[in-house]
Amino acid sequence: MRSDNVTKGAERAPNRSLFYALGYTKEELDRPLIGVVSAYSEIVPGHMNLDKITEAVKAGIRMAGGTPIMVPAIGVCDGIAMGHEGMKYSLPSRELICDSVETMFTAHQFDGLVLVPNCDKIVPGMLMAALRMNVPAVVCSGGPMLAGNHEGKEVSLSYMFEAVGAFKAGLMNEEQLTQCEEGCCPGCGSCSGMYTANSMNCLCEAVGIALPGNGTIPAVYAKRLQLAKKAGMAIMNLVEKNICARDIFNERSVRNALACDMALGCSTNTVLHLLALCKEAGVDLKLETFNEVSAKVPNLCHLAPAGPTHMPDLDAAGGIPAVQAELAKKGLLDLDVMTVTGKTLGENIKGAVNRNHNAIRPIEDPYTPTGGLQILWGNLAPKGCVVKRSAVAPEMLCHTGPARVFNSEEEAISCIYAGGIHPGDVVVIRYEGPKGGPGMREMLNPTSALAGMKLDKTVALITDGRFSGASRGASIGHVSPEAASGGPIGLVQEGDLIEIDIPNASINMKVSDEELEKRKAAYVQPAPKVTSGWLARYARLVTSADEGAVLR
């Protein structure tokens, strides 16, 4: 056992003395030591219940003969960080989390890990570390929030952001706005739509590194605590059999995750995170693979913001196993891959039934025959960009319009709120990529403002930044190379015609190669936005979005 390095032999007497100082007994030190990495805090609604989840995990570990040891992890609430400089820290925090989990695991020689995250960057950050070190690991999230209510309608956080746009456009009064903000997020859990947190928790389940139910059981249900206890028991089985993270997360299971990604209509952020996870796991995942899978896998779910259903609806319909059962009907999954249950995927979903065809369409009657995400290429994005196709209105799948160019999110949102964007426009927000932002901020404020102003079916938005899973409309992000790295998005001028063809995976500015060369020759790189603190170091080391925005 790895923990023998800190618990066994006369040479480790000083180490043991410090465990005794913590109150551990000899009997506990004779058992496998399991790190329980908890992102509990009082600033993230999705994490405010993780103290209870962590205690349940620890109980499961003890029941199965292990010694649980809780260690902390940080976590940014993307909703609270949205729309100001705090969002610059969200994506970069993924790397901090990964490095800190590696540090705590290696320094203290745990035998396995149960990862207890819930929200956007925390899930992939923790899992990246487990894959990097290739150790026994189980992900056990805190669960999704229940849907809120506004004027008798089920709502969640995306509706709240759009309400601001409606208020600015005079479509909602101040009293209605206040009622909405008080009712849209009713309690603990990751916000209730198919946003990034829920997307990643569902994909952890789909790839097999989390137990069935991880992605969908609501945070407030007793079943969530029961799941946490089972996760604690599951890690002991993995440690005993030496089944490590890369035994489960591999090329075959990643393709299963991609299939679920397309069926569910997950956040565009899953592209960034799956690329980063695959890099740590040694899996060669290319952007082209997303389109390859999307072409074969139909979109079965329209959860908020794409439609009116929320995570409790998906759970009641049978959750991820029910989605997988639909996909298995057409042979779209590899059912022989191993999972943290100790069983194969096929064994896990045996008997799974789709109980609500409004939440999960039967595979014979999908929303669309292709998946929820699409990668686009063209002279605007030679290395690709991504759009959540399932949340785009049919009339915006193909669109050509004049560019409205902004060099920051603040410039764009100011113009949108002032009524300066008109039907047909293509809003271009640049210098918000991993390096240029730095930190690749989410553009939920601009996209939600456009939706709230009823412009989401006539206006497109393109950025080298990224989008929250709560964004809808023709929101095209991750443009690579980014402007700060000399990408063509930095050469776009006001009024240039931008041609978007999502079905044919293309995005181009209608500008000649000769004109682009002239602009490139005259281009002057703006000064970095951040020159101090660790974000400046991040900007120097971060790679492009098409590589997962990982650090060199």
Side-chain angles (χ1 to χ4, degrees), residues 503-524:
N504 289 305
S506 73
I507 183 166
N508 290 285
M509 38 179 168
K510 306 298 284 183
V511 178
S512 69
D513 292 343
E514 293 78 13
E515 174 61 21
L516 288 177
E517 284 300 319
K518 288 180 184 177
R519 294 181 188 181
K520 189 174 182 179
Y523 175 76
V524 177

Side-chain angles (χ1 to χ4, degrees), residues 413-472:
I413 197 68
S414 177
C415 182
I416 293 169
Y417 283 158
I421 301 301
H422 308 290
D425 286 348
V426 177
V427 176
V428 177
I429 305 177
R430 60 194 182 189
Y431 299 105
E432 290 288 6
K435 178 182 176 69
M440 205 179 183
R441 286 193 288 181
E442 289 183 342
M443 302 288 124
L444 181 54
N445 274 356
T447 60
S448 298
L450 292 171
M453 293 174 169
K454 308 300 183 185
L455 290 171
D456 57 300
K457 295 182 180 180
T458 58
V459 172
L461 194 152
I462 299 170
T463 182
D464 53 9
R466 60 195 178 91
F467 296 109
S468 163
S471 291
R472 63 184 173 97

Side-chain angles (χ1 to χ4, degrees), residues 322-333 354 357 362-364:
V323 174
Q324 291 172 317
E326 292 291 346
L327 296 176
K329 290 178 183 177
K330 294 286 182 75
L332 295 171
L333 295 176
N354 179 1
H357 291 182
I363 199 162
E364 299 84 6

Side-chain angles (χ1 to χ4, degrees), residues 139-177:
V139 174
C140 181
S141 80
M145 188 184 290
L146 298 178
N149 185 280
H150 181 243
E151 298 182 344
K153 174 183 177 181
E154 275 199 356
V155 297
S156 53
L157 187 64
S158 57
Y159 183 86
M160 184 68 247
F161 276 92
E162 291 177 16
V164 176
F167 174 73
K168 294 284 186 180
L171 302 174
M172 180 180 286
N173 62 39
E174 189 170 356
E175 182 181 356
Q176 289 173 311
L177 185 68

Side-chain angles (χ1 to χ4, degrees), residues 106-408:
T106 307
H108 304 106
Q109 294 292 287
F110 297 132
D111 296 305
L113 289 173
V114 179
L115 307 171
V116 187
N118 208 19
C119 291
D120 297 28
K121 295 337 138 296
I122 300 88
V123 180
M126 287 187 182
L127 184 51
M128 284 166 65
L131 291 168
R132 178 184 294 176
M133 298 180 292
N134 195 27
V135 297
V138 178
V139 174
C140 181
S141 80
M145 188 184 290
L146 298 178
N149 185 280
H150 181 243
E151 298 182 344
K153 174 183 177 181
E154 275 199 356
V155 297
S156 53
L157 187 64
S158 57
Y159 183 86
M160 184 68 247
F161 276 92
E162 291 177 16
V164 176
F167 174 73
K168 294 284 186 180
L171 302 174
M172 180 180 286
N173 62 39
E174 189 170 356
E175 182 181 356
Q176 289 173 311
L177 185 68
T178 300
Q179 289 173 351
C180 186
E181 70 184 72
E182 291 174 350
C184 79
C185 295
C188 67
S190 47
C191 298
S192 195
M194 188 52 76
Y195 312 143
T196 305
N198 292 326
S199 294
M200 291 308 301
N201 285 323
C202 287
L203 294 190
C204 283
E205 184 179 335
V207 84
I209 201 72
L211 294 174
N214 178 74
T216 62
I217 297 172
V220 296
Y221 284 11
K223 285 171 58 181
R224 177 58 60 174
L225 294 175
Q226 294 162 3
L227 182 79
K229 291 175 182 176
K230 290 176 182 177
M233 292 184 269
I235 189 61
M236 296 308 299
N237 180 53
L238 297 181
V239 168
E240 180 184 350
K241 296 179 179 178
N242 195 31
I243 298 174
C244 296
R246 294 191 198 179
D247 296 323
I248 293 168
F249 190 106
N250 51 47
E251 185 174 356
R252 293 165 60 197
S253 64
V254 166
R255 290 188 75 91
N256 283 345
L258 285 175
C260 283
D261 196 338
M262 300 306 165
L264 291 166
C266 290
S267 166
T268 52
N269 282 317
T270 60
V271 178
L272 276 179
H273 298 323
L274 285 172
L275 288 169
L277 289 165
C278 284
K279 183 175 178 62
E280 297 292 355
V283 174
D284 184 21
L285 177 62
K286 299 184 184 302
L287 285 177
E288 289 81 359
T289 307
F290 287 85
N291 281 3
E292 177 191 332
V293 175
S294 182
K296 298 176 182 177
V297 179
N299 178 227
L300 305 181
C301 301
H302 268 191
L303 290 101
T309 52
H310 294 88
M311 295 303 295
D313 300 310
L314 179 59
D315 185 64
I320 303 308
V323 174
Q324 291 172 317
E326 292 291 346
L327 296 176
K329 290 178 183 177
K330 294 286 182 75
L332 295 171
L333 295 176
D334 184 338
L335 299 178
D336 294 327
V337 296
M338 179 56 62
T339 72
V340 292
T341 64
K343 300 177 182 178
T344 65
L345 174 60
E347 290 172 320
N348 286 348
I349 67 172
K350 187 176 182 180
V353 176
N354 179 1
R355 301 188 185 94
N356 183 349
H357 291 182
N358 291 321
I360 306 170
R361 286 277 188 93
I363 199 162
E364 299 84 6
D365 181 31
Y367 282 102
T368 58
T370 54
L373 297 180
Q374 181 84 322
I375 310 298
L376 315 179
W377 288 271
N379 68 0
L380 187 60
K383 292 188 176 181
C385 56
V386 61
V387 63
K388 188 171 182 174
R389 179 176 181 165
S390 59
V392 179
E395 56 266 43
M396 288 299 292
L397 290 172
C398 294
H399 178 77
T400 300
R404 303 297 309 280
V405 182
F406 305 94
N407 289 337
S408 70

